[in-house]
Amino acid sequence: MATPLSADRLVAALRAEGVRVAEHKSWRTHNRNHAGSWGPVHGVMVHHTVTSGTASSVDLCYNGHSSLPGPLCHGVIAKDGTVYLVGHGRANHAGSGDRAVLDAVIAEGKLPPDQKADTDGNKHFYGFECVNLGDNKDPWPAEQVEAIVRASAALLRAHDWGKDGDTSVIGHLEWQPGKIDPRGPGVSMGDIRRRVAERLKHPADWSPGGSPPEETPMHTYFERTSGVTLRPGEWYTITWDRVWTPGKGWSDRDREQTLLKGERLFSLDFAVRAGGLGRGQEIQLRVARNAKKDGVWARAKSWPISSPVHDGGRLHAAHHWQGHLPGSDDNRLVAEVLVNGDSPVPIDELTASLLAWPL
Ligand SMILES: [Zn+2]
């Protein structure tokens, strides 16, 4: 029998576990308690949002939508690991699942496969929605997964769960037949449970020394300010004039093309400012992986192309990509731009802001 934590105790437990907490709107009194009971609670459920962008995902989980009113969980875990609290009380996240799974969670025993949807999960589970597209391609940054581990451990510690086993944290996919969340590169419930179990052997403020590089992403910022004129119909791989790195500041790049090397998850914003576009003349941006072939860089993969809409004249456009760059020095990430139409287009400025997490 476990009574849900009060809002204050929840925040305190999360902060004690080293979680960065953001309190969203009236989360303390925002719930679905009028629609059903809340508690006794027995465990923690992990989800992905099938969305991108922190602010819009947090709003969605707070408000819900026409067919599913919010809150859609208790906390939204952003890509950077911040946990946004959006509800306290019953929330629409777990739906109906398998009683046998709940029994295993209560007993902290081995999870059976989920085969039935006969039990109200919203009554018995805390829920975290993690910002991820759920397409099995959108990467899960190490900071986000670490926040899942810490937030889960905070609740288990506060309730004194997880002493007999580690099944007090489950994925939605382990609860309700047909669900797939959470999934994607970098996340696995087995890994999360192992890490939660390890954390619980240590005090709440434990910070393992083994993997500090994963804690913070490397941030670099690239600029190309010397003008370049693009000929229509040819992808141009951008050469950068200078780069900003933390600690070092700006340094000249001497027409280097490479944005990133080595195995990394990346998050890239790439922007272009151009003038003199003809009406209907289109500009396209993309990010590509090059691989070395006979000593020469050749395109091996490209991420989806962005074609900003405009009606001629000046253009300032930006686009965002996330992905996984495989390891080895024979791979690199570059940014490319293409114009079509008949006349050359002068580009005034190109910038790229890059976050990279080692794997
Ligand atoms: Zn879910």
Side-chain angles (χ1 to χ4, degrees), residues 247-295:
K248 269 175 76 181
W250 288 105
S251 53
D252 285 341
R253 210 66 210 286
D254 197 22
R255 299 299 165 98
E256 171 68 44
Q257 295 179 332
T258 302
L259 289 167
L260 187 64
K261 272 186 183 177
E263 186 168 24
R264 300 283 189 273
L265 296 173
F266 68 86
S267 167
L268 178 74
D269 287 291
F270 167 32
V272 58
R273 221 150 44 80
L277 287 160
R279 185 168 287 274
Q281 194 170 18
E282 194 182 40
I283 198 160
Q284 300 188 339
L285 314 178
R286 77 179 177 193
V287 170
R289 173 166 68 86
N290 287 349
K292 220 167 216 177
K293 234 186 192 167
D294 305 323

Side-chain angles (χ1 to χ4, degrees), residues 47-48 93 129 172 179 181:
H47 305 262
H48 60 224
H93 69 98
E129 285 282 357
H172 200 188
K179 289 292 174 183
D181 55 326

Side-chain angles (χ1 to χ4, degrees), residues 57-311:
S57 302
V58 170
D59 276 337
L60 174 68
C61 290
Y62 187 88
N63 295 320
H65 46 82
S66 54
S67 55
L68 197 65
L72 302 184
C73 60
H74 300 105
V76 178
I77 304 184
K79 292 251 183 215
D80 70 356
T82 305
V83 177
Y84 292 79
L85 296 174
V86 295
H88 183 249
R90 187 181 169 92
N92 266 332
H93 69 98
S96 296
D98 196 325
R99 177 75 218 183
V101 172
L102 181 62
D103 288 340
V105 169
I106 293 170
E108 299 183 0
K110 198 169 152 44
L111 285 179
D114 51 330
Q115 290 166 329
K116 291 187 207 153
D118 59 3
T119 301
D120 175 13
N122 294 331
K123 177 178 177 178
H124 296 302
F125 286 94
Y126 294 98
F128 291 107
E129 285 282 357
C130 307
V131 178
N132 188 281
L133 290 172
D135 57 3
N136 224 2
K137 293 179 193 142
D138 189 10
W140 292 67
E143 284 217 328
Q144 188 181 29
V145 177
E146 178 69 14
I148 299 171
V149 169
R150 288 180 183 238
S152 303
L155 287 164
L156 268 59
R157 200 188 294 277
H159 283 292
D160 207 26
W161 294 332
K163 289 282 187 281
D164 304 318
D166 57 5
T167 44
S168 303
V169 192
I170 65 172
H172 200 188
L173 80 173
E174 294 167 308
W175 169 246
Q176 190 177 51
K179 289 292 174 183
I180 55 162
D181 55 326
R183 72 165 181 181
V187 76
S188 114
M189 286 314 301
D191 169 57
I192 287 168
R193 278 193 284 268
R194 270 191 299 280
R195 288 167 59 183
V196 169
E198 183 61 34
R199 275 203 78 77
L200 292 175
K201 294 178 194 163
H202 303 268
D205 61 358
W206 182 58
S207 261
S211 53
E214 296 180 352
E215 300 282 319
T216 40
M218 180 185 70
H219 184 201
T220 39
Y221 186 80
F222 299 82
E223 268 189 7
R224 166 69 188 253
T225 47
S226 58
V228 54
T229 298
L230 299 185
R231 281 184 302 173
E234 286 171 28
W235 280 104
Y236 169 72
T237 303
I238 294 157
T239 56
W240 303 100
D241 292 335
R242 60 183 197 152
V243 59
W244 183 93
T245 46
K248 269 175 76 181
W250 288 105
S251 53
D252 285 341
R253 210 66 210 286
D254 197 22
R255 299 299 165 98
E256 171 68 44
Q257 295 179 332
T258 302
L259 289 167
L260 187 64
K261 272 186 183 177
E263 186 168 24
R264 300 283 189 273
L265 296 173
F266 68 86
S267 167
L268 178 74
D269 287 291
F270 167 32
V272 58
R273 221 150 44 80
L277 287 160
R279 185 168 287 274
Q281 194 170 18
E282 194 182 40
I283 198 160
Q284 300 188 339
L285 314 178
R286 77 179 177 193
V287 170
R289 173 166 68 86
N290 287 349
K292 220 167 216 177
K293 234 186 192 167
D294 305 323
V296 181
W297 291 111
R299 188 160 64 85
K301 172 197 168 93
S302 67
W303 279 267
I305 292 169
S306 164
S307 309
V309 175
H310 66 98
D311 53 7

Side-chain angles (χ1 to χ4, degrees), residues 259 266-270 287 319-322 333 352-355:
L259 289 167
F266 68 86
S267 167
L268 178 74
D269 287 291
F270 167 32
V287 170
H319 196 74
H320 180 79
W321 286 266
Q322 289 171 334
L333 195 70
S353 178
L354 176 73
L355 289 172

